[in-house]
Amino acid sequence: MCSVDDSVTALPNEESGERRQWFVLCDMKPVHAKLPAYKLLAMRGIVCFTPMHERVFTQGGKRRRELVPVVQDLLFARSTLSVLSPIIEATPTLRYRFVRNYHNRHMTVPDEEMERFMRAVNTADSPRYYRPDEITPTMLGRTVRIVGGPLDGYEGRLLKLRGTRTRRLLVELPNLLSVGVDVSPEYVEVV
């Protein structure tokens, strides 16, 4: 069973009803599986999101680029329990993530947070992903608001990275994953 901190929003089974929400799932298939869970769920009409990045592989003496998940076992699916549960039961390598210290509480992410995160990832040319344990207090800069551009209205902290002149805004899914996206200095307003 996969679990993380209990500060991630979660709903017990009886409260979830038939409301569609973003469930956090574990995909235990190997990196080069022919049908990873995000493709399987998409084929069944379920909206999925898994942060991807490009990796170079050598196969048969030829180098090729391929998009692979940033975190192999992390997947988000927007659906209902009644639709997802039969698929998960039929797929031994796919599991729900549960909130730590709560029996049978499925981990979910609020729609607004998930939409905000996906928008930031999709507008960035080269997003940089961070696990929660990779972000130290010394990396966090000023709190800013973005005024204009594709991330208009976003608020967050700037990342302070040694040796870089670019400004990166940190967009988080608490206790799961964070992404640093480049922002133009003219759009940055200190809060």
Side-chain angles (χ1 to χ4, degrees):
M1 179 187 333
C2 298
S3 64
V4 295
D5 252 346
D6 53 347
S7 58
V8 176
T9 305
L11 297 172
N13 286 340
E14 59 273 1
E15 288 180 15
S16 64
E18 287 299 303
R19 194 173 59 122
R20 288 186 347 145
Q21 54 191 336
W22 285 101
F23 287 94
V24 184
L25 305 175
C26 262
D27 181 11
M28 305 307 288
K29 287 187 180 172
V31 175
H32 295 294
K34 294 205 187 267
L35 189 61
Y38 66 91
K39 289 182 181 177
L40 171 75
L41 292 172
M43 285 175 24
R44 298 203 179 179
I46 296 173
V47 177
C48 298
F49 177 75
T50 186
M52 306 286 271
H53 70 283
E54 203 171 73
R55 210 179 240 169
V56 178
F57 294 99
T58 303
Q59 186 178 29
K62 292 185 180 182
R63 293 178 59 151
R64 62 184 178 89
R65 294 175 188 259
E66 186 177 318
L67 280 177
V68 295
V70 171
V71 180
Q72 179 57 33
D73 70 341
L74 182 64
L75 170 68
F76 302 93
R78 188 165 195 277
S79 188
T80 62
L81 277 173
S82 62
V83 171
L84 267 181
S85 291
I87 297 169
I88 289 175
E89 288 172 13
T91 311
T93 57
L94 184 60
R95 301 179 189 152
Y96 288 109
R97 284 186 184 236
F98 292 97
V99 177
R100 184 179 291 155
N101 299 327
Y102 287 93
H103 178 67
N104 227 11
R105 278 189 116 175
H106 296 94
M107 188 180 299
T108 61
V109 177
D111 287 346
E112 309 81 44
E113 282 186 34
M114 196 67 208
E115 295 299 326
R116 182 177 192 266
F117 187 82
M118 290 189 314
R119 189 171 136 216
V121 168
N122 292 333
T123 59
D125 292 332
S126 57
R128 173 87 195 268
Y129 297 96
Y130 301 93
R131 292 186 320 267
D133 60 335
E134 290 180 317
I135 298 175
T136 62
T138 59
M139 291 173 65
L140 298 174
R142 293 181 164 177
T143 302
V144 297
R145 178 182 304 118
I146 305 301
V147 181
L151 299 176
D152 186 35
Y154 275 57
E155 285 190 25
R157 307 277 304 265
L158 287 179
L159 283 173
K160 292 191 297 185
L161 299 174
R162 193 176 277 177
T164 181
R165 290 186 171 265
T166 60
R167 294 185 184 244
R168 286 185 176 260
L169 178 71
L170 187 67
V171 180
E172 297 180 80
L173 285 177
N175 298 314
L176 290 170
L177 191 64
S178 298
V179 64
V181 293
D182 292 343
V183 291
S184 298
E186 65 265 15
Y187 297 140
V188 175
E189 176 183 272
V190 178
V191 175

